[in-house]
Amino acid sequence: IDIPPHHLEASYMTQEEDWDRDLLLDPAWEKQQRKTFTAWCNSHLRKAGTQIENIEEDFRNGLKLMLLLEVISGERLPKPDKGKMRFHKIANVNKALDFICSKGVKLVSIGAEEIVDGNVKMTLGMIWTIILRFAIQDISVEETSAKEGLLLWCQRKTAPYRNVNVQNFHISWKDGLALCALIHRHRPDLIDYSKLRKDDPVGNLNTAFEVAEKFLDIPKMLDAEDIVNTPKPDEKAIMTYVSCFYHAFAGAEQAETAANRICKVLAVNQENEKLMEEYEKLASELLEWIRRTIPWLENRAAEQTMRAMQQKLEDFRDYRRIHKPPRVQEKCQLEINFNTLQTKLRLSNRPAFMPSEGKMVSDIANAWKGLEQVEKGYEEWLLTEIRRLERLDHLAEKFKQKCNMHEAWTSGKEDLLSQKDYESASLMEIRALMRKHEAFESDLAAHQDRVEQIAAIAQELNELDYHDAATVNARCQGICDQWDNLGTLTQKRRDSLERVEKLWETIDQLYLEFAKRAAPFNNWMDGAMEDLQDMFIVHSIEEIQSLITAHDQFKATLPEADKERMATMGIHNEILKIAQTYGIKLSGINPYTNLSPQDISTKWDTVKHLVPLRDQMLQEEVARQQANERLRRQFAAQANIIGPWIQTKMEVRLDIAGSLEEQMNSLKQYEQNIINYKSNIDKLEGDHQLSQESLIFDNKHTNYTMEHIRVGWEQLLTTIARTINEVENQILTRDAKGISQEQLNEFRASFNHFDRKRNGMMDPDDFRACLISMGYDLGEVEFARIMTLVDPNNTGVVTFQAFIDFMTRETAETDTAEQVMASFKILASDKNYITVDELRRELPPEQAEYCISRMTRYIGPDSPPGALDYISFSSALYGESDL
């Protein structure tokens, strides 16, 4: 079904927005969807010999999800990952989601992680998207499609049934009558609709479910009690189930359409056969009439009297007025019927009609043409016989007139043809004379008809016994003799013109051949000189060897090029030879090219001079590339040792047993060992500098670049420094909070256990699991509060130091904002504010000034000037407000 892309995307966006609003599904709807979607999936998965039991669990690894998409689409998906790790499952689900997106579906808020984690809402949303794309999108009724098309189909199929009014995909189906009506409309043998009652919705629904599962191969996807007891059944579940009926009954409608098509085809065939029979009959009758008429018209037996000839003329006129017109109409109708029949056959994809042998339209046309030819001859014969006597005087006058015109035209033509003006003409002048002579020949040929007419008239006058036949014959003979002489002189002049023209054309052809061969050869030499002088940049021995090979191949073509040069120069020599032999004066300019033989010779000498120079340049570059290759190997030998050494050190875990001080000493010693390796890095830097100075930018002997080595070295030093700093912070934390070494070890063991990615950080889910394992009873609000403490910047991870800080706060004795407020209240003599004098009197100067500079002015009844708010200050100290 051709649906505009923007309509398709809009349709899916609407469905996905609906799904986002339904994320907090009604429990009844969720139950209906789980059952319906599970049954729908199994109806397809059973074709592959498998099924699912729990829709949010069985799709988590992505394998059955990919299999489901292959079954319903008939296409192959990429090969799934076989591992059982989480990232394998995510990869498989992503392959399935990518395939869905490739079908024009825009997934919103559905990610592979939610499916792998068994998120039931997202899993149901994904299955609904698949159902929309592969079961509902292609439904089309008139100009509507997808959901609207399915609804229109249901409305039309159930329109004749009482108590059925389908307006939606939820409450319109609660009483079960709509489903039973759909089945009865297509298979009335399965359900007795007249016995159904609107007040028995459960019975109606179960009847429809059982009949569909038993006879229509549509699995039971819904529970009658769930639908009846739900105020508004789930629309998606109902649509999924109803779409199965649409696809099940599509075949029956196709059969009805096929029967109608067959009847239409047979009707067309019967009509065509009738037209064929009519054509055969009409053609036979017309051909028989022509066969009988032609012998009558071919009879040329002349009558002896004028009366008899006039009677023959009258009979012929009756034939033309009475007998022939109906046959003309029959012939026209026959052609119309034939063309109409062929058009109908072509429009109905039938083979063209072939009439019986001898009855084709062309056969009838040929017979009719023969009839008209005989008819025309018969009429001419009649008129000739009737008018023979009165034609004699007319022919004699006509003979005289034509002879006078002919003799006037031939006057002076013999002298013109005897001229030899071509002997001193140029090629262009000869061609002009040739065109002029050809025009004369055309004129001569045109007058041939007049001469023949003169001879014919003389012949006719003789046949009619003209009284002055002798004079006519003498004049006719003189004209014929002169005509023969003009023909002879015309041919002689043509031969002379052609001979001279051919000689000049030979020279002209040689000029053209020289131009055709000189131009590409000149272009070749230009290209050769350009290539021989072309600068090149190479970065490897292979590249320079490729240039040397190409140059050797070029040198191998030089002998053949020399042959071409000699052949081109030979053409020029041939022109000179012809001119000398026949005494032709050449202008010295080739009309087809500006290239001269001297130009060709000069460039050829230049090419031969440049070849050895190119040889020398290539050999010098070979030496340079060999030196570069030695530098590459020297760098690679060191890099292939240092790179793996750094990588090995990076992969070593720095979990050292013992006290924090012992760990610190071990790490310091480990760091010094790493620093002692710096000399090898410096030596490699020197080799790298030499390579750069030689413009070496790649090295096939190693996968390590200097940048890789530098980055790896810096990361290694950074990792060690970060680990040392972490141990130092642990020592500070231990000393400040009074935490024992055993507690720190316990914290480290818990953190390492839940650091699943082994990157020194925990995801929020891993952090929650860690807290639960340590006995914390967490709700959503409490966990959110803890996350603001351990991840204040909202980075999405919890570091070990943040974890230690949190655990020490939880286990150590610490002051609180309330305790500090109580202390300030004692200093303020139980007032809600404190003065500057009281702070300076009770606290050391530095602490007093710190409080004065940060406390805000106290606003309250009876507060003296300069009173300060110690309550908000105490809250800010512990992060409960802004300081």
Side-chain angles (χ1 to χ4, degrees), residues 365-620:
N366 290 334
W368 190 266
K369 183 178 180 181
L371 173 68
E372 290 186 334
Q373 288 175 347
V374 174
E375 175 186 312
K376 181 180 180 181
Y378 187 73
E379 184 178 17
E380 291 176 354
W381 174 74
L382 286 174
L383 295 175
T384 300
E385 288 298 316
I386 292 173
R387 298 175 182 174
R388 180 169 58 89
L389 295 176
E390 57 185 357
R391 277 181 58 83
L392 287 175
D393 290 340
H394 171 71
L395 288 175
E397 184 63 28
K398 188 175 182 179
F399 176 80
K400 181 180 179 180
Q401 181 183 3
K402 287 186 177 292
C403 287
N404 291 337
M405 293 178 63
H406 177 76
E407 289 167 352
W409 180 82
T410 58
S411 177
K413 294 293 189 296
E414 292 170 302
D415 294 337
L416 183 64
L417 292 172
S418 300
Q419 292 181 356
K420 294 185 179 181
D421 48 354
Y422 51 80
E423 292 182 348
S424 59
S426 65
L427 176 59
M428 295 301 295
E429 292 170 340
I430 290 173
R431 286 178 174 171
L433 290 173
M434 193 67 187
R435 303 290 90 78
K436 184 178 179 181
H437 186 69
E438 289 173 351
F440 174 78
E441 288 178 327
S442 298
D443 197 13
L444 185 69
H447 282 79
Q448 173 71 29
D449 186 51
R450 180 178 295 161
V451 174
E452 293 175 354
Q453 288 177 2
I454 291 172
I457 293 173
Q459 178 68 27
E460 188 175 358
L461 288 171
N462 279 277
E463 292 174 354
L464 294 175
D465 295 329
Y466 183 58
H467 65 280
D468 197 12
T471 303
V472 170
N473 293 336
R475 192 173 184 183
C476 180
Q477 186 62 45
I479 289 175
C480 290
D481 292 342
Q482 184 190 34
W483 186 257
D484 292 340
N485 187 42
L486 285 175
T488 302
L489 291 175
T490 299
Q491 185 60 43
K492 285 182 179 181
R493 182 171 176 81
R494 166 172 278 280
D495 293 342
S496 298
L497 288 171
E498 287 180 345
R499 176 177 57 81
V500 178
E501 183 183 31
K502 186 175 182 181
L503 184 62
W504 272 102
E505 285 179 346
T506 301
I507 295 175
D508 188 72
Q509 184 63 33
L510 289 173
Y511 273 138
L512 179 60
E513 186 175 353
F514 177 86
K516 288 183 177 179
R517 300 191 70 162
F521 185 66
N522 180 68
N523 291 336
W524 177 85
M525 289 191 294
D526 287 341
M529 289 189 294
E530 182 180 356
D531 292 342
L532 290 171
Q533 299 176 84
D534 186 29
M535 302 302 294
F536 54 82
I537 298 177
V538 296
H539 300 95
S540 66
I541 293 178
E542 290 79 6
E543 292 180 6
I544 189 61
Q545 283 298 137
S546 175
L547 291 177
I548 292 174
T549 301
H551 184 60
D552 291 341
Q553 292 173 351
F554 167 76
K555 290 192 293 184
T557 65
L558 289 178
E560 189 67 27
D562 193 32
K563 291 181 181 179
E564 179 64 18
R565 180 187 66 84
M566 294 176 66
T568 304
M569 298 301 292
I571 295 172
H572 177 70
N573 294 333
E574 182 67 19
I575 295 173
L576 297 178
K577 181 179 178 181
I578 293 174
Q580 184 178 4
T581 302
Y582 295 97
I584 298 175
K585 184 179 180 181
L586 300 174
S587 64
I589 300 175
N590 189 326
Y592 300 108
T593 181
N594 293 325
L595 290 172
S596 67
Q598 183 62 35
D599 295 335
I600 300 296
S601 299
T602 301
K603 286 190 178 180
W604 177 253
D605 293 339
T606 303
V607 170
K608 291 194 295 183
H609 174 71
L610 290 174
V611 170
L613 296 180
R614 185 72 170 186
D615 287 333
Q616 181 181 353
M617 289 177 61
L618 292 173
Q619 291 304 320
E620 290 174 353

Side-chain angles (χ1 to χ4, degrees), residues 88 175 215 222 327 718:
H88 290 130
D175 58 9
F215 298 102
L222 303 166
R327 300 300 180 178
T718 302

Side-chain angles (χ1 to χ4, degrees), residues 18 115 166 188 286 305 388 401 410 439 455 488 520 542 608 615 649 668 689:
D18 292 344
I115 305 302
V166 177
L286 183 59
T305 65
R388 180 169 58 89
Q401 181 183 3
T410 58
T488 302
E542 290 79 6
K608 291 194 295 183
D615 287 333
K649 295 299 182 181
K668 291 286 187 181
Q689 182 175 354

Side-chain angles (χ1 to χ4, degrees), residues 321-339:
R321 291 194 308 265
I322 300 173
H323 303 295
K324 185 179 179 182
R327 300 300 180 178
V328 173
Q329 184 64 31
E330 289 180 6
K331 174 178 175 294
C332 180
Q333 188 61 44
L334 191 68
E335 293 174 352
I336 292 173
N337 291 350
F338 181 81
N339 292 334

Side-chain angles (χ1 to χ4, degrees), residues 208-328:
F209 295 159
E210 292 168 3
V211 169
E213 185 172 28
K214 183 176 181 181
F215 298 102
L216 303 179
D217 197 27
I218 298 176
K220 184 178 180 181
M221 300 182 182
L222 303 166
D223 283 329
E225 290 77 7
D226 291 341
I227 295 176
V228 173
N229 296 330
T230 303
K232 181 181 177 182
D234 181 61
E235 182 180 54
K236 300 174 179 63
I238 298 294
M239 280 181 66
T240 302
Y241 188 59
V242 172
S243 68
C244 294
F245 284 89
Y246 175 88
H247 293 295
F249 293 138
E253 295 182 356
Q254 292 173 357
E256 180 180 350
T257 302
N260 293 335
R261 181 178 291 114
I262 290 173
C263 293
K264 183 178 179 181
V265 168
L266 293 178
V268 170
N269 262 29
Q270 291 170 340
E271 182 181 355
N272 291 340
E273 288 175 358
K274 181 179 179 181
L275 290 174
M276 293 176 190
E277 293 172 357
E278 292 177 356
Y279 175 86
E280 290 281 345
K281 178 182 178 183
L282 192 57
S284 298
E285 294 175 353
L286 183 59
L287 288 172
E288 176 62 22
W289 178 81
I290 294 173
R291 185 187 63 78
R292 294 195 311 268
T293 305
I294 287 179
W296 173 67
L297 294 172
E298 287 178 339
N299 182 11
R300 296 294 191 273
E303 299 294 338
Q304 299 298 319
T305 65
M306 179 64 72
R307 185 179 180 84
M309 291 302 298
Q310 288 178 344
Q311 183 59 47
K312 280 184 175 287
L313 181 59
E314 188 64 27
D315 293 341
F316 178 72
R317 288 172 177 169
D318 289 342
Y319 156 78
R320 292 291 299 271
R321 291 194 308 265
I322 300 173
H323 303 295
K324 185 179 179 182
R327 300 300 180 178
V328 173

Side-chain angles (χ1 to χ4, degrees), residues 109-175:
S109 304
I110 299 179
E113 290 77 5
E114 287 84 355
I115 305 302
V116 172
D117 292 338
N119 187 314
V120 64
K121 307 296 189 300
M122 293 301 175
T123 303
L124 292 175
M126 176 190 65
I127 298 301
W128 172 239
T129 300
I130 294 173
I131 293 171
L132 274 178
R133 172 59 182 84
F134 294 99
I136 298 177
Q137 173 191 327
D138 293 337
I139 296 175
S140 177
V141 178
E142 293 185 356
E143 297 181 356
T144 61
S145 60
K147 176 182 177 181
E148 292 76 11
L150 182 59
L151 183 62
L152 180 58
W153 178 80
C154 295
Q155 290 171 341
R156 292 196 171 179
K157 295 299 180 181
T158 60
Y161 291 86
R162 57 181 174 81
N163 297 327
V164 177
N165 183 19
V166 177
Q167 297 297 325
N168 49 55
F169 285 108
H170 37 81
I171 60 175
S172 294
W173 304 83
K174 286 188 65 173
D175 58 9

